[in-house]
């Protein structure tokens, strides 16, 4: 299985901050990388698909980049509703695998 | 937009079979492109993909669970189902059903999730 490693595992930030989360794959996955946001008690919600595609109705402050083994999710200006846990997922090979998550908390 | 809803027992005894059904609404489960997945989440192991099935009945499983998992689909009811045999406490998790976009695409619609506890 391809291992997905996210960093940091948690971070504290203030409203308006720029936030960057990194995801590394144990082997090249081209751009088969998706990002999800999960709030407590809810299912994950896709934000970014294919490394840099913005899902419909997701605010433009979210962006993704990268290819191969290293990827980033950036929130350009953190909003109160963005406090959540974020996961990356590779769909390059079966089984699809997820990163361990990054919890974004209020500073 | 497509909606998914999991249903099934919230408590299963060790060694028994966990059975869940996902009902798809506001869209047809019949598709040559989209697939239908089960994913579970625990505090310890995070998000774990269990398997996917197409409306044709073709299924792919996570090798780590393959010996215990069976997915099936009932297009007449717009449902797909999960059976996991010989459960133990480590199978306690929130189970999600979901829809996958084609060709290695993202999982774009998810059910709300259902907690299944394995305990005697």
């Amino acid at each position: 299985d391809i291992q997905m490693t996210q960093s940091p595992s948690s971070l504290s930030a203030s409203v308006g901050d720029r936030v960057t989360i990194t995801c590394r794959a144990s082997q090249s996955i081209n751009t088969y990388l998706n990002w999800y946001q999960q709030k407590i008690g809810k299912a994950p919600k896709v934000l970014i698909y294919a490394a840099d595609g913005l899902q419909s109705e997701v605010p433009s402050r979210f962006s993704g980049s990268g290819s191969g083994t290293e990827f980033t999710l950036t929130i350009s200006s953190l909003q109160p509703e963005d406090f959540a846990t974020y996961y990356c997922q590779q769909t390059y090979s079966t089984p699809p695998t997820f990163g361990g998550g990054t919890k974004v908390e209020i500073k | 937009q497509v909606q998914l809803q999991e249903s099934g027992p919230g408590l299963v005894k060790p060694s028994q079979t966990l059975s869940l059904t996902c009902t798809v609404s506001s869209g047809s489960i019949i598709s040559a492109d989209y697939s239908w997945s089960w994913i579970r989440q625990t505090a310890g192991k995070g998000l774990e993909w269990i398997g996917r099935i197409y409306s044709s009945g073709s299924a792919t499983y996570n090798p780590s669970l393959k010996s215990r998992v069976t997915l099936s689909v009932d297009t007449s009811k717009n449902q797909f189902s999960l059976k996991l045999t010989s459960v133990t406490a480590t199978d306690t998790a929130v189970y999600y059903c979901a829809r996958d976009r084609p060709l290695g695409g993202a999982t774009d619609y998810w059910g709300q999730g259902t907690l299944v506890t394995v305990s005697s």
Side-chain angles (χ1 to χ4, degrees):
Chain A
D1 298 2
I2 295 177
Q3 306 304 313
M4 306 301 293
T5 304
Q6 284 183 239
S7 60
S9 56
S10 65
L11 64 90
S12 295
S14 301
V15 172
D17 284 354
R18 181 181 181 89
V19 169
T20 298
I21 299 168
T22 297
C23 178
R24 289 186 173 88
S26 60
Q27 66 184 73
S28 177
I29 57 170
N30 199 335
T31 57
Y32 288 88
L33 191 284
N34 309 305
W35 290 98
Y36 298 86
Q37 176 193 67
Q38 187 178 32
K39 296 183 177 179
I40 294 174
K42 301 291 188 182
K45 167 190 165 185
V46 61
L47 301 175
I48 301 289
Y49 61 91
D52 63 3
L54 186 66
Q55 173 70 5
S56 175
E57 301 185 1
V58 171
S60 59
R61 63 181 180 272
F62 291 94
S63 64
S65 65
S67 67
T69 62
E70 188 153 337
F71 302 85
T72 58
L73 172 70
T74 300
I75 309 172
S76 61
S77 178
L78 198 65
Q79 298 302 300
E81 60 269 30
D82 301 337
F83 293 96
T85 301
Y86 295 84
Y87 295 94
C88 60
Q89 176 206 35
Q90 67 80 20
T91 53
Y92 178 80
S93 71
T94 299
T97 47
F98 293 85
T102 296
K103 187 174 184 179
V104 177
E105 298 175 301
I106 302 172
K107 181 183 280 186
Chain B
Q1 62 182 22
V2 174
Q3 295 180 313
L4 300 97
Q5 178 68 58
E6 305 88 354
S7 59
L11 180 64
V12 181
K13 289 182 166 48
S15 80
Q16 294 193 342
T17 297
L18 180 160
S19 296
L20 295 174
T21 295
C22 183
T23 301
V24 179
S25 57
S26 301
S28 176
I29 200 170
I30 298 175
S31 170
D33 298 320
Y34 292 99
S35 57
W36 307 91
S37 285
W38 288 96
I39 295 163
R40 68 182 183 180
Q41 185 171 29
T42 62
K45 290 190 70 176
L47 289 159
E48 181 180 29
W49 182 82
I50 299 170
R52 71 163 62 93
I53 190 165
Y54 288 87
S55 57
S56 64
S58 174
T60 305
Y61 302 111
N62 191 324
S64 68
L65 296 168
K66 187 175 182 178
S67 63
R68 298 194 292 131
V69 173
T70 302
L71 302 188
S72 59
V73 62
D74 186 337
T75 55
S76 68
K77 295 182 178 179
N78 231 32
Q79 294 177 335
F80 63 107
S81 299
L82 163 70
K83 288 191 188 300
L84 180 66
T85 62
S86 304
V87 297
T88 69
T90 59
D91 294 309
T92 295
V94 175
Y95 286 76
Y96 294 100
C97 61
R99 189 185 82 166
D100 297 327
R101 289 180 184 157
L103 300 176
T107 302
D108 60 357
Y109 289 101
W110 297 64
Q112 65 184 27
T114 187
L115 174 62
V116 179
T117 301
V118 178
S119 175
S120 54

